[in-house]
């Protein structure tokens, strides 16, 4: 059964609890075959994707688990992940996003260790059996980075169409060295984000969390 683009956009949401059911590699290949049609400035197609399943993903999860210490021992992030400075609206949305997730797991704001342990679920792919890591070349500029985002959303919508859940994960940047080591990725490449992929666990309430959005009037201006 195929769904419309509108349906895919409306029903996609970040999955934070996956079933262990494997995702066939053939399906992931098919999705990337289609996603390569994503547009990019001057057709540069700056995306570099590593798709990871099976034994390699198990090794990556084990390597990051070994680094998931309290207090944390994070790698330097390869690029700043938040606006500097954020606007008031951006800051409020970022805050609400954190509260929604920690709240859904009953983790209090003051529980610094609990929050850290929650963050480490990212590096176990929230139980997902597949992941994709997107890299940029060091010479890529803002336009190429925007193109990476277009590619990422294209992949996520195709995954939705295929009945799969996913979640973009910038949190992998704190272990970007481990990702590169395990996958044998050249050191010059910059990790943009991870994307965990799998079948959503319908029984886990975290997957029912719906993130709100700003009203049209807050971000769009129409001129006639
Ligand atoms: C590039 C990118 C990176 C993200 N990184 C993380 C992450 O590291 N951990 C996480 O839990 N969610 C992450 N998210 C998910 C966002 O929090 C989520 O998209 C947003 O709250 C809107 O919710 P929705 O995807 O369910 O609509 C990321 C999303 C994107 C697009």
């Amino acid at each position: 059964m195929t769904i419309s683009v509108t349906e895919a956009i409306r029903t996609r949401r970040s999955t934070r609890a996956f079933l262990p059911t494997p995702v066939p590699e053939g399906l992931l290949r098919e999705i990337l075959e289609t996603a390569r049609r994503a547009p990019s400035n001057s057709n540069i197609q700056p995306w570099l994707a590593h798709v990871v399943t099976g034994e390699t993903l198990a090794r990556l999860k084990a390597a990051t688990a070994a680094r998931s210490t309290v207090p944390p021992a994070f790698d330097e992030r390869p690029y700043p992940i938040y606006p500097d400075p954020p606007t008031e609206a951006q800051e409020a949305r970022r805050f609400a996003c954190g509260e929604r997730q920690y709240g859904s797991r009953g983790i209090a704001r003051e529980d610094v260790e609990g929050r850290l342990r929650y963050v480490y679920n990212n590096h176990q792919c929230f139980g997902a059996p597949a992941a994709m890591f997107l890299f940029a070349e060091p010479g890529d500029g803002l336009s190429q980075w925007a193109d990476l985002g277009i590619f990422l959303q294209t992949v996520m919508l195709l995954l939705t169409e295929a009945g799969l859940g996913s979640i973009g994960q910038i949190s992998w940047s704190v272990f970007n060295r481990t990702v590169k080591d395990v996958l044998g990725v050249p050191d010059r490449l910059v990790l943009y984000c991870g994307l965990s992929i799998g079948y959503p666990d319908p029984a886990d309430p975290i997957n029912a969390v719906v993130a709100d959005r700003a009203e049209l009037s807050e971000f769009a201006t129409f001129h006639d």
Side-chain angles (χ1 to χ4, degrees):
M1 189 199 70
T2 41
I3 58 173
S4 68
V5 175
T6 302
E7 250 176 301
I9 291 170
R10 289 205 173 130
T11 57
R12 184 215 57 80
R13 67 173 82 128
S14 294
T15 300
R16 293 189 176 87
F18 292 88
L19 299 173
T21 317
V23 180
E25 192 187 299
L27 179 55
L28 296 174
R29 281 181 182 276
E30 218 176 280
I31 284 169
L32 290 196
E33 280 285 347
T34 308
R36 75 200 167 100
R37 301 303 309 170
S40 57
N41 173 23
S42 293
N43 205 20
I44 286 175
Q45 305 163 66
W47 38 82
L48 295 167
H50 284 250
V51 178
V52 192
T53 56
E55 203 263 325
T56 307
L57 188 58
R59 269 197 295 124
L60 179 58
K61 288 180 182 177
T64 51
R67 295 195 56 197
S68 298
T69 53
V70 180
F74 290 156
D75 295 334
E76 196 187 328
R77 289 193 194 265
Y79 65 94
I81 67 163
Y82 293 119
D84 182 21
T87 65
E88 235 174 73
Q90 289 172 337
E91 189 55 19
R93 291 172 199 152
R94 188 185 69 79
F95 183 85
C97 178
E99 291 305 294
R100 199 161 31 237
Q101 284 173 60
Y102 297 122
S104 69
R105 284 292 190 234
I107 304 166
R109 186 148 187 78
E110 325 65 65
D111 184 0
V112 177
E113 186 177 329
R115 287 187 165 224
L116 180 61
R117 291 200 185 284
Y118 171 84
V119 167
Y120 286 146
N121 290 326
N122 276 278
H123 310 108
Q124 297 306 306
C125 298
F126 296 106
M132 181 179 84
F133 293 89
L134 272 182
F135 292 88
E137 289 284 359
D140 286 345
L142 289 178
S143 177
Q144 286 69 55
W145 280 78
D147 293 340
L148 290 186
I150 293 172
F151 180 79
L152 181 68
Q153 168 74 332
T154 305
V155 171
M156 290 195 289
L157 293 179
L158 289 164
L159 291 166
T160 304
E161 184 192 27
L164 285 157
S166 66
I167 178 167
Q169 294 171 292
I170 255 164
S171 48
W172 276 100
S173 63
V174 298
F175 290 143
N176 71 87
R177 302 228 143 264
T178 302
V179 174
K180 288 196 214 178
D181 286 350
V182 172
L183 304 185
V185 169
D187 197 41
R188 71 166 198 288
L189 295 184
V190 182
L191 177 64
Y192 164 38
C193 69
L195 181 77
S196 290
I197 300 167
Y199 296 95
D201 180 352
D204 196 313
I206 203 158
N207 286 337
V209 172
V210 178
D212 49 15
R213 294 294 194 272
E215 296 301 330
L216 210 58
S217 57
E218 281 186 54
F219 69 89
T221 307
F222 291 81
H223 304 261
D224 62 11

